Amino acid sequence: MTQALKFTRMFSLLLAVTLTAGVVCAEAPKPAPAKKPAPAYKPGPMLQRMLNGPMKHFDEIVFAVRVPGRDHWYVTFGNYSCTYGPPKERAFKEQDGVLWGYGEGGRLCKMNLRTGKIVTLLDDPKGGVRDPQMHYSGKKILFSYRPGGTHTFHLYEINVDGSGLKQLTDGPDDDIEPTYCPDGSIVFCSSRCRRFVNCWYSRVATLYRCDADGSNVRMLSSNNDHDNTPWVLPDGRVLYMRWEYVDRSQVHYHHLWTTNPDGTAQMVYYGNLKPGIAMLDAKPIPGTDKIVSVFSPGHGRPEHLGSIAVVDPNLGPDDPAAVKVVNKRNSWKDPYALSEDCFLVADPKGLYVMDGSGATELVYQLPEAERKTFQLHEPRPVRGRPIEQALADRVDLKDPTGTLILQNVYEGRNMEGVKPGAIDKLLVLKQLPKPVNFSGGMEPLTIGGSFTLAEIVGTVPVEPDGSAYMQLPALQSLFFVALDKQDRPVKRMHSFLVLQPGEKTSCVGCHEQRTQAPSSGGVLNLQAVRKSPAKVQPIKDIPRVIDFPRDIQPILDEHCVKCHRAEKYEGRVDLTGDKTQRYTMSYRTIIHRGLINDARNKPTSNYEPYSYGSVVSPLMKLIDGSHYGAKVSDHQRKMIRLWIETSATYPGTYASLGNPDAYAHLPGKEMTKRCGSCHLHDKKLSFPGGRVGYPMTVVNVSRPEMSRVLRGPLAKEAGGLGACKEIVFKDTKDPLYQQILTSIRHAHESLMKIKRFDMPGFRPNEHYIREMQRFGFIRKDLPADAPVDVYKVDRAYWDSFRWKVDKKSPDM
């Protein structure tokens, strides 16, 4: 022992003795317990049983490691529309002027289920990895990858040993959730559709198709909202989730559909009449007709989390008995079936095996240091697999239309009471995609109604036998309203139809059972098919998209406002175009008085005949001359009728979205003291300080002095309505009157500054401009003070999705 080492030990001993003898005694640190060596990997009993059974032909699985999403189940890629509100709270980062919905860091890995060995095929600490699928050969993996430092996912392939990484697709939009098809093509979901969720701030991905090398990308679905998790069935069809709401609840309809790989024959598979479940990650179960799926509760949980269910399609698309819930815990994802008694699954904690009774066993979880940041996703066996049946293409890319045969409009569910010959024509409407969106609600498009604008495409005839044969534009989200000879709506479609270029298809009837086959009489005996297919006849004297201030308000001004205005206020109704804080007096009054029957945000569809739309809207009766002689012209009546059939929206442009309200901050406390004895306990009379807020129609932002909140309590002798039991304001000099008036004048000044879509000098917000610039419909170098014709920009955007015969995809 050296002298230095002896001295060090002696000093340490002396120091310890000194501290022990002193006032403060420091306890010598205890040695850390020795870490137990990790137990040698050994498959658990359930996994071992499966490795000896359904898994005996492979050893490895491939899976993805990535940061889970923080938002709705569909927000795992792309940018948000704005930098405030929920996006600010849920985004992972702000970069390049926008907020982004993806986390950074991802790996593609393999695990040997027999030895426990983990192999990393691709590791990108700033990138993202998702959606692996094995090729039929078992030699390569198709997946979605976002390289670090970039914003978009694209399709890639890599060999099973980690070599040969190859990029297939590129461009400014995201490509995710790919699946190999038996004809060599790839079907995937993509934000190339360039639209935002109808009721959220994030981008949409719909079905697309490309060749094996990523070329010839083509849109298959014109859905306004998401298509998700496509996978090929043994019969060659592609099974996927379609989220849709055409004038019905925004959060109840995300169910299973099928399509051919070329996009033809899009048809419900299961659940479109079973609202309240998001059916995701569905895949076939080998050796059966059944499929396994995640049933994510309600509007769906982040990362598709839900229960594991098996669906038997042989019972039809609507029968609850077709579903067997294997494991009801709502935290599973990414099921992959090896048999009805053997599933690979994942949850936020790790990868598992699950048997047909729902029992589970943990197979692998990340190292503890990574578990707070990353999760495991999409386990798939590393092996070859049988090639499904290849379906021949049924498209003609040189044809901008498709044809549809309707066998008998009177056949179907809930058609009782509609006599043969009653239906004269079909009104063809088109749901229009949103280039941007800024909330979870429908405002300001409607008040409690539709989330989208509808375009009037035209009409097609229905023959006396109920048949129709029509030529329709390809790749448009079309839906129909059956009209009688008086143009009254008999039935309305609450889903949408998509035809591919050159597709020829048919349907049995109106809301017919999906298990119902055409009648034995055959298509050739139908009156409609004895002629050439009818082209949609445009309604030339009506705008394709109706705008309430531009198209409806002038009719009210001519026929209604002489009695129903602030100055006269007959029937306590104001039908002027004066602005409220978000709408107009007239629009707000029409909706709140129930004068129209439009789409409500309800989980309801397939209404009874003659129970929906203009035929049951009181407004139509009020303009027929029976109400104090108020009779509109035939053209004006048609305008109002079609406005109601197209969901009775307020603006005719999506540039109206996301603009601030002209809000009047009324003195609620002071008003409560003066008026609370009546207004605190009556919802119809409520105001700020009460328990339910106040109706927007009490404030006239255009003409503050005409506001009902001022004129109602003002004595008649002072020019008011004297509507209160006791006079509140004897004259306009009352301090509270002046305080309220000042608040509304401030709202008026704000409105004049920010403007609204129907006011001269209106300019859409920066986010609408940015997205339209990115999509190519507003020039990049637009000066800050340059006017923007939003109706023209919207029209160019919508028309870009029409199929062009000289292009392989809609013109962007």
Side-chain angles (χ1 to χ4, degrees):
M1 184 181 295
T2 64
Q3 292 293 325
L5 184 56
K6 287 181 179 179
F7 176 79
T8 300
R9 287 188 172 179
M10 289 177 63
F11 179 78
S12 300
L13 179 61
L14 178 63
L15 179 61
V17 172
T18 303
L19 290 175
T20 303
V23 177
V24 179
C25 179
E27 183 178 351
K30 296 179 180 179
K35 290 186 177 180
K36 295 181 180 180
Y41 173 84
K42 181 181 179 181
M46 181 183 293
L47 176 58
Q48 187 61 60
R49 186 172 70 251
M50 293 176 175
L51 288 172
N52 294 336
M55 294 183 176
K56 65 183 178 182
H57 298 297
F58 66 92
D59 298 329
E60 295 179 311
I61 59 172
V62 64
F63 58 91
V65 182
R66 66 174 178 275
V67 180
R70 295 175 179 170
D71 204 331
H72 292 299
W73 50 269
Y74 46 84
V75 186
T76 54
F77 66 91
N79 66 288
Y80 286 99
S81 60
C82 61
T83 54
Y84 55 81
K88 189 72 172 177
E89 302 165 1
R90 304 183 190 189
F92 286 91
K93 65 178 181 179
E94 183 172 358
Q95 192 174 32
D96 297 333
V98 294
L99 296 170
W100 298 91
Y102 61 79
E104 293 185 332
R107 302 195 296 273
L108 184 66
C109 300
K110 288 191 306 181
M111 177 185 179
N112 189 305
L113 296 176
R114 302 181 190 276
T115 67
K117 182 180 179 180
I118 303 295
V119 176
T120 298
L121 304 178
L122 176 66
D123 186 5
D124 191 332
K126 293 291 185 180
V129 175
R130 55 180 295 167
D131 316 319
Q133 190 191 58
M134 290 299 304
H135 189 263
Y136 298 108
S137 67
K139 296 180 179 180
K140 60 183 178 179
I141 303 164
L142 174 67
F143 66 107
S144 302
Y145 173 41
R146 180 189 57 78
T150 68
H151 292 306
T152 50
F153 285 90
H154 289 116
L155 305 188
Y156 284 74
E157 286 180 325
I158 194 170
N159 295 329
V160 293
D161 63 358
S163 66
L165 179 66
K166 178 182 178 182
Q167 182 174 350
L168 302 181
T169 61
D170 59 11
D173 304 299
D174 291 274
D175 302 325
I176 60 172
E177 300 177 344
T179 185
Y180 285 117
C181 294
D183 62 358
S185 67
I186 298 170
V187 169
F188 60 101
C189 298
S190 179
S191 64
R192 296 167 188 261
C193 58
R194 297 185 176 177
R195 58 200 63 182
F196 278 73
V197 173
N198 293 339
C199 61
W200 203 238
Y201 306 77
S202 55
R203 293 283 296 273
V204 164
T206 65
L207 290 183
Y208 276 73
R209 183 193 194 190
C210 68
D211 292 345
D213 61 359
S215 62
N216 294 318
V217 175
R218 179 169 71 83
M219 175 186 274
L220 300 183
S221 169
S222 60
N223 195 354
N224 262 32
D225 272 307
H226 282 273
D227 302 318
N228 277 101
T229 57
W231 201 277
V232 180
L233 294 169
D235 64 9
R237 292 178 298 161
V238 177
L239 178 68
Y240 67 102
M241 189 285 305
R242 170 163 136 174
W243 177 24
E244 59 162 36
Y245 44 103
V246 178
D247 297 342
R248 57 180 180 173
S249 170
Q250 80 209 77
V251 296
H252 283 83
Y253 297 95
H254 6 56
H255 300 113
L256 297 177
W257 288 67
T258 57
T259 180
N260 294 337
D262 64 354
T264 59
Q266 294 184 22
M267 179 62 66
V268 65
Y269 181 84
Y270 184 78
N272 205 38
L273 293 182
K274 188 178 177 63
I277 297 174
M279 301 176 184
L280 295 149
D281 297 306
K283 303 174 190 67
I285 300 176
T288 76
D289 294 331
K290 301 174 184 178
I291 60 98
V292 63
S293 176
V294 170
F295 274 34
S296 195
H299 186 36
R301 297 189 63 202
E303 289 294 342
H304 305 183
L305 298 179
S307 59
I308 300 298
V310 169
V311 178
D312 184 352
N314 293 312
L315 297 179
D318 305 317
D319 193 337
V323 176
K324 174 191 173 184
V325 177
V326 178
N327 188 303
K328 65 181 181 180
R329 181 160 64 88
N330 287 319
S331 61
W332 300 109
K333 59 183 177 180
D334 306 322
Y336 189 101
L338 283 308
S339 75
E340 285 192 81
D341 194 40
C342 179
F343 305 95
L344 293 168
V345 294
D347 81 350
K349 296 180 181 179
L351 303 179
Y352 294 75
V353 286
M354 179 184 291
D355 67 18
S357 71
T360 61
E361 181 178 276
L362 180 66
V363 173
Y364 174 68
Q365 60 184 158
L366 289 168
E368 188 172 353
E370 291 189 314
R371 293 175 195 169
K372 290 184 178 181
T373 303
F374 297 97
Q375 289 184 11
L376 303 172
H377 307 261
E378 297 118 10
R380 323 278 198 234
V382 177
R383 64 168 185 177
R385 54 194 179 91
I387 299 177
E388 303 89 358
Q389 180 180 344
L391 301 178
D393 278 3
R394 294 164 45 191
V395 299
D396 178 0
L397 300 184
K398 296 181 180 180
D399 189 345
T401 67
T403 56
L404 171 68
I405 297 173
L406 169 62
Q407 179 176 286
N408 188 351
V409 73
Y410 305 104
E411 289 284 340
R413 295 164 290 184
N414 214 4
M415 290 294 290
E416 293 80 5
V418 182
K419 296 179 180 180
I423 296 174
D424 182 65
K425 63 179 75 71
L426 299 179
L427 174 65
V428 184
L429 302 176
K430 176 168 66 175
Q431 192 179 37
L432 295 171
K434 285 182 170 178
V436 72
N437 197 59
F438 302 102
S439 79
M442 68 289 292
E443 302 85 0
L445 291 183
T446 62
I447 303 171
S450 179
F451 286 77
T452 58
L453 298 173
E455 178 178 326
I456 300 168
V457 182
T459 61
V460 292
V462 174
E463 300 299 328
D465 65 350
S467 65
Y469 184 26
M470 64 200 86
Q471 186 180 68
L472 299 169
L475 281 172
Q476 306 293 300
S477 297
L478 305 174
F479 60 106
F480 306 111
V481 181
L483 303 177
D484 66 13
K485 292 179 173 60
Q486 289 76 45
D487 288 330
R488 298 179 301 172
V490 181
K491 289 283 287 186
R492 183 186 183 89
M493 186 173 171
H494 288 270
S495 182
F496 67 88
L497 165 79
V498 180
L499 293 176
Q500 298 301 304
E503 180 178 2
K504 294 175 174 58
T505 190
S506 64
C507 58
V508 174
C510 186
H511 297 91
E512 80 276 8
Q513 294 285 353
R514 292 296 184 262
T515 55
Q516 182 178 353
S519 66
S520 58
V523 170
L524 295 179
N525 292 325
L526 301 177
Q527 292 177 357
V529 300
R530 298 171 189 170
K531 311 172 186 177
S532 298
K535 295 182 179 180
V536 180
Q537 294 302 308
I539 304 176
K540 296 182 179 179
D541 57 348
I542 300 293
R544 285 187 282 175
V545 179
I546 297 176
D547 182 280
F548 182 89
R550 181 192 65 200
D551 302 316
I552 304 300
Q553 187 61 49
I555 303 173
L556 303 178
D557 290 342
E558 180 180 347
H559 297 281
C560 308
V561 166
K562 60 184 177 183
C563 295
H564 299 297
R565 64 185 191 277
E567 293 84 349
K568 198 168 184 182
Y569 205 50
E570 291 288 347
R572 300 176 64 84
V573 170
D574 186 344
L575 293 178
T576 67
D578 288 351
K579 302 287 193 293
T580 66
Q581 295 167 91
R582 183 177 292 163
Y583 302 96
T584 59
M585 289 290 177
S586 53
Y587 186 82
R588 189 89 194 182
T589 298
I590 287 171
I591 301 301
H592 276 237
R593 290 295 186 101
L595 299 183
I596 57 102
N597 180 292
D598 70 336
R600 298 288 88 192
N601 187 24
K602 297 178 181 179
T604 306
S605 57
N606 195 10
Y607 291 81
E608 293 183 0
Y610 290 108
S611 66
Y612 189 103
S614 64
V615 70
V616 287
S617 293
L619 181 60
M620 299 304 294
K621 181 66 176 176
L622 294 173
I623 59 175
D624 68 0
S626 62
H627 178 70
Y628 297 96
K631 186 174 183 179
V632 301
S633 69
D634 290 345
H635 177 261
Q636 290 171 332
R637 184 177 181 85
K638 182 197 291 188
M639 181 77 76
I640 293 175
R641 174 177 61 83
L642 289 171
W643 169 67
I644 296 173
E645 311 308 4
T646 54
S647 307
T649 55
Y650 174 53
T653 170
Y654 286 134
S656 61
L657 303 175
N659 293 295
D661 297 333
Y663 193 79
H665 298 277
L666 301 186
K669 291 183 179 180
E670 291 78 4
M671 293 169 67
T672 298
K673 293 177 183 178
R674 187 81 70 92
C675 310
S677 60
C678 293
H679 289 264
L680 278 178
H681 306 292
D682 189 336
K683 291 183 178 182
K684 295 180 180 179
L685 303 175
S686 59
F687 57 83
R691 290 174 287 191
V692 291
Y694 69 99
M696 287 190 176
T697 48
V698 303
V699 171
N700 188 323
V701 179
S702 296
R703 297 185 294 162
E705 289 82 359
M706 292 292 104
S707 297
R708 186 155 53 91
V709 71
L710 292 173
R711 299 191 70 242
L714 181 64
K716 289 184 178 181
E717 296 78 8
L721 297 174
C724 296
K725 295 178 181 178
E726 298 180 2
I727 299 300
V728 178
F729 302 139
K730 292 182 179 180
D731 55 46
T732 59
K733 296 178 181 179
D734 187 290
L736 181 56
Y737 178 99
Q738 287 296 319
Q739 191 176 357
I740 296 171
L741 178 59
T742 298
S743 297
I744 302 173
R745 282 175 173 169
H746 287 160
H748 172 81
E749 293 169 2
S750 174
L751 177 64
M752 293 300 104
K753 181 178 179 180
I754 62 177
K755 301 189 184 300
R756 200 170 287 173
F757 69 93
D758 59 334
M759 297 171 63
F762 168 76
R763 183 182 169 91
N765 65 51
E766 60 181 302
H767 308 293
Y768 173 93
I769 291 176
R770 180 195 67 242
E771 295 301 321
M772 283 300 202
Q773 286 176 326
R774 184 159 59 155
F775 298 160
F777 302 103
I778 293 179
R779 47 188 274 212
K780 297 277 189 180
D781 59 348
L782 182 76
D785 58 348
V788 178
D789 185 338
V790 295
Y791 294 95
K792 184 177 180 180
V793 172
D794 272 3
R795 174 47 56 193
Y797 166 75
W798 295 326
D799 286 350
S800 73
F801 297 107
R802 294 189 299 180
W803 184 258
K804 310 295 194 304
V805 297
D806 58 340
K807 296 188 179 292
K808 293 294 179 69
S809 63
D811 183 10
M812 295 299 183

